[in-house]
Amino acid sequence: MNRKLVSLLLLFLATDCVAQRVFIQQMEPTRQSRYAAGQLAGALISKKYSIVSERTSADFTIQLAPVNVQLGSEAYVIERQGKQFTVSGGDNRGQIYGCLSIVEDIRNGIALDQIRTRQERPHLPFRAIKFDLPWDTYRHSYALDQHYETCRDTLYWKAFLDMMVANRFNALSLWNLHPYTFMIRPANFPAATPFNDQQLAEWQTLFRTIFRMAKDREIDTYLVPFNIFTSPEFSKAYNVNPRLNNLDHHHFIDGDTSAIVKRYTRECVTQVLQEYPDLTGFGLTLGEAMGGMSPQQREDWMKATIIEGMRLAGRKSKLVHRIPFSSTTGSLGITSIDTEKLTRKSIESEAALPFIDGPIWADLKYNWSHGHSTPTLVKVHGGKLFDTYFKPEPNTYKITWTVRNEDFFCLRWGVPDFVRSHIAANNQAYVGGYFLGSETYIPAKDYFTSPGAPVDWTYAFERQWLFYKLWGRLLYNPATPDALFRSEFVRRYGMSAAPLLEAYALASKTPLRLASSFDFTWDFSLYSEGMMGFDANKNVAYISVNQQISQPTLDPTYVSVSDYVKTTAAGGSFSKEKITPPMLANILVTDCRKALRLIQSIKTTGNRSLLYEVADVMAWANLGLHMTEKLNGAVALQTYRTTGQAAMKQVALRHLKAALRYWDNVIAITRPLYNDMPLVHLTEQKGHTWAENNTLRFHWDKLRPDVAKDIELVENELPTTPKK
């Protein structure tokens, strides 16, 4: 090799080793553009680019242009001319999203010179997280209390807010029974706050930091207190009515409508808004501790306290009005047209107030407490939803749907087409967006992962990254392709992990199908990942074969086992759009077996994080196969009971024994990986004290005796006389 060729080769190698230099220019710096620029710089540095302070020395320039309102709220455009990229946003939030789109490409290994021009705009304007704080919680359980220290750590909130903005969530709502005394010392009721000055200052630093970091990311923040509650210290110091002295903060009690409680609440709202300028607004929730009050009295109380407190704050605020779920004086009443008319009138009157920054977000629970069921709206909290809120079409408020997750906390979940179908079913002009969240789970401390080799996450929400990425990105743009989510698996674990998205899309349909085929109401009535629900005594237990037979379905296209056997035994049939138990079993077995085939070749040796991703697909798939055998066994058992065909008893036994084998597979997969887990659903088991229930733990292993009881039940089943 001659000297000239060697010199050229050395020059090439030296040039290749020099980091490409990038100049990031903020044309009109704001706290939001500084955040966006920081995210760009961090991603570039992680890929060995160098950030320079002068354009003249740069190989590439990324220019954050001034806001261009003509693009529309939250929209962005990325343009490229040679080595210069220009990111334009319709507002500060749009500019952040444009920069984060480039960040995503960089982290996925796409070189700057390969990044293409693009633009996006939001499909729905409101994309919120419902976050129940672990202090003064709605429900009382160690499962919630254990998150206390994690949620006092601002590093946790930084990570959570970074996740939110990356996934295009634009609102964080913070819920607990009585938040005020963690945030202020009420000027006229100082004894209401239980903390000394130093302790209160620490709480205030926490909340101010959360709101500041959210504002930096252009995430709106809402405080949502339940009502009517006061602090125990207030009750003791200011002689609250002893009959209503709710020191333990139970939520189904009569409301305290005394003048002092009204004044205290109103002044707390005003002081919070004045002391926390980065707080965007408040939420109203009408129900808890408002027993004995009519719907009109509840609305009047809200106007006299929270709404009036917002007015007195002297600044504009946004408002979430949670649509009440009781048309009676009881906390657990049913829905009614009259209550809908009353509520709509109240919301429209609030929207006309000059200090309310509209539109008002009028919120309803989609399919009560178990939104991860069917995309079809069957009911809301309290029962049937009438059309009062939609006709005539509102112009001062938008409907938001709360999609609760009280069904899977441990196992990872991700079904892109379910989210897309949900959004498509709620594409009406009156829909403003969604809340995502839970009341029996807080995504903070990772209390699931068993001790062992290191994993790639610190916090619970980071385990469920696919859940948040799917909901957030698809709410922003439902046309976001599966390729984007697949790329995230590849970025984390390499090319061999690419099949994981399809595997999750198939296997984690299992809880959706269970919830669609098993009717429910409030939080504890179903826990899908545990195959648990209310038994005849309203205790949360493994769903027995008898309950599988008798339970009505939620989704009207599904057919229950009882109805199926009754109809077919009489010679009847079902229309083609109906999903019968045998059809559901066939769908489950097809999807779950395919999911298992997709992950067969993924090697997890030496990568414990990938092991968990693969194991959760295996767990869901085996739960689905368990459900398949359970359904087939239930049909055979009910057929035996209905027709007296002796052979059907043996068919039922064969299927239920197979169901137990699949359950044993779930135990074998999860026992080495997951701790015994506290579960809020178990805190109200009858026949035990709350303290006893609070020590109960969930693991699939603990339910094995109940699964085996189905076999014992059939073995002991006596011959029956055919029903006529």
Side-chain angles (χ1 to χ4, degrees):
M1 186 181 294
N2 61 43
R3 290 184 178 180
K4 184 175 182 181
L5 187 58
V6 170
S7 298
L8 287 171
L9 180 59
L10 290 172
L11 179 62
F12 170 78
L13 291 172
T15 303
D16 192 52
C17 292
V18 173
Q20 290 186 301
R21 295 158 299 191
V22 182
F23 175 59
I24 301 172
Q25 182 181 27
Q26 302 175 56
M27 298 296 290
E28 292 182 357
T30 63
R31 57 197 290 190
Q32 291 78 25
S33 71
R34 284 190 287 272
Y35 173 79
Q39 292 296 297
L40 282 168
L44 288 163
I45 291 169
S46 74
K47 293 297 182 179
K48 309 305 181 186
Y49 289 88
S50 174
I51 306 301
V52 297
S53 58
E54 297 290 338
R55 180 195 294 267
T56 54
S57 61
D59 299 301
F60 292 93
T61 296
I62 302 176
Q63 184 181 81
L64 279 59
V67 164
N68 180 0
V69 295
Q70 293 183 342
L71 294 176
S73 178
E74 299 189 296
Y76 72 84
V77 174
I78 299 172
E79 299 171 296
R80 179 178 178 181
Q81 288 185 331
K83 298 290 188 178
Q84 176 171 309
F85 297 89
T86 301
V87 182
S88 302
D91 52 18
N92 289 333
R93 191 176 288 154
Q95 185 183 77
I96 291 175
Y97 293 166
C99 291
L100 291 177
S101 181
I102 296 176
V103 166
E104 189 168 53
D105 278 355
I106 294 167
R107 288 179 175 161
N108 284 338
I110 299 174
L112 272 181
D113 57 9
Q114 298 298 312
I115 291 177
R116 295 176 294 179
T117 61
R118 74 197 66 160
Q119 59 184 23
E120 276 189 295
R121 62 178 53 253
H123 176 69
L124 291 168
F126 188 82
R127 306 175 301 279
I129 295 292
K130 177 187 187 300
F131 197 109
D132 280 35
L133 294 167
W135 39 86
D136 202 6
T137 52
Y138 179 79
R139 299 199 181 281
H140 307 319
S141 169
Y142 172 73
L144 305 177
D145 297 342
Q146 65 179 330
H147 300 282
Y148 191 96
E149 291 304 323
T150 304
C151 290
R152 290 286 306 268
D153 187 349
T154 56
L155 290 177
Y156 166 77
W157 288 104
K158 178 182 181 298
F160 193 82
L161 291 164
D162 280 341
M163 176 279 294
M164 284 185 63
V165 70
N167 291 324
R168 314 301 191 257
F169 288 106
N170 63 5
L172 172 66
S173 59
L174 300 176
W175 304 58
N176 71 342
L177 295 184
H178 188 69
Y180 311 116
T181 50
F182 294 88
M183 303 174 71
I184 59 169
R185 190 177 305 283
N188 293 313
F189 301 94
T193 297
F195 308 111
N196 62 36
D197 288 348
Q198 180 181 343
Q199 292 168 331
L200 180 60
E202 291 172 358
W203 282 105
Q204 290 175 322
T205 297
L206 171 67
F207 280 102
R208 289 195 175 103
T209 302
I210 293 170
F211 299 148
R212 173 181 54 76
M213 290 193 298
K215 187 67 175 176
D216 290 345
R217 293 154 179 78
E218 203 58 37
I219 293 172
D220 289 343
T221 48
Y222 294 85
L223 201 62
V224 188
F226 292 91
N227 298 285
I228 303 168
F229 294 95
T230 62
S231 69
E233 291 75 15
F234 172 88
S235 299
K236 294 172 184 176
Y238 300 104
N239 300 316
V240 169
N241 184 343
R243 186 178 66 84
L244 299 174
N245 198 344
N246 185 18
L247 299 182
D248 293 326
H249 278 188
H250 299 295
H251 41 263
F252 293 145
I253 63 164
D254 286 350
D256 185 340
T257 59
S258 62
I260 191 172
V261 169
K262 284 184 180 177
R263 179 189 171 196
Y264 165 73
T265 305
R266 180 172 59 248
E267 291 182 6
C268 282
V269 170
T270 298
Q271 191 171 337
V272 164
L273 285 170
Q274 289 175 338
E275 292 191 18
Y276 293 87
D278 284 336
L279 175 63
T280 307
F282 263 83
L284 312 180
T285 176
L286 299 85
E288 286 72 23
M290 299 186 90
M293 301 171 69
S294 69
Q296 183 65 64
Q297 288 173 323
R298 292 181 184 125
E299 294 286 353
D300 290 344
W301 191 90
M302 290 294 178
K303 288 178 183 176
T305 56
I306 294 182
I307 299 299
E308 179 63 6
M310 293 171 74
R311 182 187 72 82
L312 293 171
R315 70 171 174 98
K316 280 199 166 189
S317 304
K318 294 185 179 181
L319 179 65
V320 174
H321 190 123
R322 196 184 198 191
I323 289 172
F325 21 84
S326 176
S327 62
T328 70
T329 56
S331 296
L332 295 175
I334 59 173
T335 58
S336 77
I337 294 176
D338 287 342
T339 301
E340 287 192 1
K341 290 178 179 177
L342 167 67
T343 304
R344 176 165 183 162
K345 182 179 178 182
S346 293
I347 294 172
E348 289 177 331
S349 68
E350 290 160 1
L353 298 171
F355 54 90
I356 298 295
D357 186 4
I360 290 177
W361 309 112
D363 187 62
L364 289 153
K365 296 182 192 177
Y366 202 95
N367 287 332
W368 210 315
S369 295
H370 301 275
H372 292 85
S373 49
T374 171
T376 302
L377 178 63
V378 180
K379 56 181 153 185
V380 295
H381 191 134
K384 181 180 178 180
L385 179 65
F386 303 93
D387 63 3
T388 313
Y389 299 117
F390 321 132
K391 295 180 180 179
E393 189 172 297
N395 53 30
T396 58
Y397 68 86
K398 293 281 188 182
I399 294 294
T400 61
W401 298 112
T402 289
V403 175
R404 292 269 292 277
N405 171 28
E406 313 300 345
D407 291 291
F408 43 83
F409 311 145
C410 177
L411 299 180
R412 294 157 177 82
W413 180 93
V415 185
D417 284 347
F418 171 77
V419 179
R420 291 191 184 99
S421 296
H422 215 292
I423 296 167
N426 295 286
N427 202 30
Q428 303 87 351
Y430 56 75
V431 174
Y434 282 68
F435 282 89
L436 270 292
S438 311
E439 276 179 8
T440 59
Y441 170 62
I442 297 174
K445 178 182 177 180
D446 174 14
Y447 57 99
F448 308 100
T449 307
S450 63
V455 291
D456 294 340
W457 59 86
T458 301
Y459 304 115
F461 75 87
E462 294 171 319
R463 302 172 61 259
Q464 286 278 13
W465 65 265
L466 183 59
F467 172 88
Y468 291 104
K469 197 173 188 75
L470 285 174
W471 272 111
R473 296 300 290 272
L474 292 173
L475 286 171
Y476 180 77
N477 180 4
T480 301
D482 281 356
L484 183 140
F485 308 113
R486 192 177 301 112
S487 294
E488 184 65 16
F489 277 109
V490 173
R491 183 187 74 80
R492 289 168 179 259
Y493 306 115
M495 281 302 301
S496 68
L500 275 170
L501 178 67
E502 185 181 0
Y504 269 104
L506 293 166
S508 64
K509 284 180 182 174
T510 297
L512 309 179
R513 287 171 173 150
L514 173 62
S516 295
S517 64
F518 190 95
D519 196 17
F520 50 73
T521 53
W522 60 286
D523 307 11
F524 295 1
S525 61
L526 186 65
Y527 177 52
S528 296
E529 75 179 349
M531 296 279 163
M532 301 169 77
F534 273 159
D535 64 14
N537 298 315
K538 300 296 184 190
N539 282 326
V540 180
Y542 171 74
I543 298 169
S544 69
V545 68
N546 277 338
Q547 194 169 6
Q548 189 80 59
I549 291 168
S550 62
Q551 187 77 4
T553 66
L554 169 74
D555 191 321
T557 63
Y558 282 64
V559 178
S560 71
V561 171
S562 177
D563 288 346
Y564 173 76
V565 173
K566 180 180 178 180
T567 300
T568 55
S573 61
F574 295 90
S575 57
K576 62 181 181 181
E577 68 269 10
K578 291 290 188 179
I579 300 174
T580 64
M583 291 171 62
L584 177 56
N586 287 336
I587 293 168
L588 280 164
V589 75
T590 299
D591 285 355
C592 291
R593 285 179 177 169
K594 184 177 180 181
L596 291 173
R597 288 195 301 271
L598 284 166
I599 61 173
Q600 262 183 334
S601 62
I602 300 176
K603 306 299 182 186
T604 62
T605 305
N607 190 332
R608 191 165 182 243
S609 300
L610 179 57
L611 171 65
Y612 274 88
E613 299 272 11
V614 172
D616 283 4
V617 171
M618 295 171 64
W620 278 129
N622 278 277
L623 285 169
L625 293 170
H626 166 82
M627 184 176 169
T628 294
E629 297 295 348
K630 178 88 152 298
L631 283 166
N632 287 332
V635 169
L637 177 59
Q638 185 64 5
T639 301
Y640 169 63
R641 289 169 173 172
T642 302
T643 67
Q645 299 175 43
M648 297 309 294
K649 177 176 177 177
Q650 297 307 312
V651 172
L653 273 173
R654 185 175 72 249
H655 283 300
L656 292 175
K657 287 178 179 179
L660 180 59
R661 287 195 295 273
Y662 284 120
W663 195 268
D664 283 338
N665 288 349
V666 174
I667 294 171
I669 294 162
T670 59
R671 185 74 276 178
L673 300 179
Y674 291 119
N675 300 317
D676 291 349
M677 296 159 258
L679 183 66
V680 178
H681 296 60
L682 299 176
T683 56
E684 295 183 14
Q685 303 289 75
K686 295 176 178 61
H688 302 278
T689 65
W690 175 86
E692 290 170 337
N693 286 331
N694 202 35
T695 66
L696 297 176
R697 298 293 181 265
F698 165 77
H699 194 283
W700 294 271
D701 192 13
K702 293 178 175 292
L703 296 178
R704 191 188 189 280
D706 297 318
V707 180
K709 281 180 184 177
D710 280 346
I711 298 171
E712 182 182 341
L713 180 145
V714 177
E715 287 175 336
N716 295 330
E717 187 87 9
L718 297 174
T720 60
T721 302
K723 296 180 181 179
K724 297 181 180 179

